[in-house]
Amino acid sequence: AAKDIAIGRDATRILGFMTIEGGGYIDFAFIRPEAQGSGLFRRLFDMVQERARANAEPRLWVHASLMAQPAFAAVGFSVVEHQIVQIGDQDFKRAMMEKPLVPLFKRALFAASAPLRARYDAGLSELHPSMATRHLPSVPRRKTLIPLPMSVV
C-alpha cells in the first residue's frame, strides 16, 4: 500500500519520521532518542493529520507499542483495545488507538456523501468488523506516493 511520509531532519541526518496509509492508518512512527522530547513527534503528527484531513479521512488509527502510547495519547488518541501479538516465541504488547477527525455530530453528513461514508465504514471495518454499519465496496488506495513537505528541525 502507498504511504505518505513525514520526515524530520537536521542539517545532516534524519531525526524521525511518521507514515500514513489510506484509511488513516499510521504504520510507522520513529524518533531518534536524542530528538525525543524536542516536539518533533508532535510536528510530524501535525503534518500527518493535515494530510489525513485533506484526504477526508474520518479518523486516524495506529497499533502503538507500550513506549509509543503516551506520545499518541498526548496528541488526542485513545485506546480502543489492548492486544498481545505473538511473533515467533515472543509476545509483544500493544494497543489499538484512534483519534476521530470528524466530530460525531458531523458524521450524519456522511449520509449525503457516499464516498465519505464508504471511507468511514471501511475504516471502522478495519478497526472492528462489528462496527461497520453496512457492507460497502472497498475504497481504492492511491497508487502514487505524494511526499509530505520536509520538516527542518
Side-chain angles (χ1 to χ4, degrees), residues 58 102-121 133-134 136:
V102 179
L104 287 173
F105 71 90
K106 289 189 177 180
R107 291 182 186 170
L109 297 176
F110 286 143
S113 173
L116 285 179
R117 184 61 197 197
R119 279 182 178 246
Y120 181 72
D121 281 351
T133 56
R134 58 191 159 114
L136 293 170

Side-chain angles (χ1 to χ4, degrees), residues 85-105:
V85 178
Q86 189 172 22
I87 300 174
D89 61 349
Q90 298 290 314
D91 289 339
F92 297 94
K93 294 180 181 179
R94 68 180 188 185
M96 183 183 301
M97 301 179 78
E98 76 169 343
K99 178 180 181 178
L101 298 179
V102 179
L104 287 173
F105 71 90

